[in-house]
Amino acid sequence: MTPSEVHARLVELWTAGRFEEGLTYLDPDVVDHRGGTAGDHHGIDAWRAKWDEKADVAVTIEQNVADGEFSVNRYTSSGPGYAVTGMDMVRVRDGRVVEHWALMDVTARSAQLSARGT
């Protein structure tokens, strides 16, 4: 599979709630570059915990651009009370994601949730 196909499949399985199958597309030593005070997350268990927290989120890929080992999605993420744009990038090696970076418009998400009282 190409990096963009792996990326799309990962999103598809996550949004379908097929977490265990989706996790097979991750390298055991995957690094999720989350930044912030929590820093990077390492390994499949950290990824599983992230997915469990966001089980009610839907993602629609609007555009994908790939180059070499890298795949970038521009997407719409929606959950109860919000819909925002985000981007994420993965690096794929041997058919598995080895690194992930993500950006989301959390200001817009917070504003939408506040306007709805959630």
Side-chain angles (χ1 to χ4, degrees):
M1 294 179 97
T2 67
S4 61
E5 290 169 333
V6 170
H7 200 179
R9 185 74 175 140
L10 192 62
V11 171
E12 174 189 343
L13 292 169
W14 172 51
T15 57
R18 295 166 52 189
F19 297 164
E20 290 306 313
E21 187 178 352
L23 294 173
T24 66
Y25 288 90
L26 301 177
D27 185 86
D29 297 320
V30 64
V31 178
D32 191 4
H33 298 285
R34 305 304 290 176
T37 57
D40 294 344
H41 296 172
H42 298 266
I44 292 175
D45 287 340
W47 201 286
R48 182 183 287 115
K50 174 179 71 169
W51 278 4
D52 286 343
E53 290 175 8
K54 299 178 179 181
D56 60 350
V57 175
V59 174
T60 302
I61 298 171
E62 307 293 347
Q63 183 178 15
N64 175 272
V65 177
D67 184 33
E69 296 183 316
F70 294 91
S71 172
V72 179
N73 285 333
R74 180 178 55 83
Y75 60 87
T76 300
S77 176
S78 57
Y82 74 90
V84 295
T85 299
M87 295 184 82
D88 75 332
M89 179 171 73
V90 297
R91 184 167 66 91
V92 176
R93 184 178 47 218
D94 299 325
R96 291 187 172 179
V97 173
V98 295
E99 289 186 275
H100 173 256
W101 299 262
L103 299 170
M104 180 187 290
D105 190 345
V106 294
T107 303
R109 183 180 66 184
S110 293
Q112 290 174 36
L113 291 172
S114 294
R116 290 175 174 82
T118 50

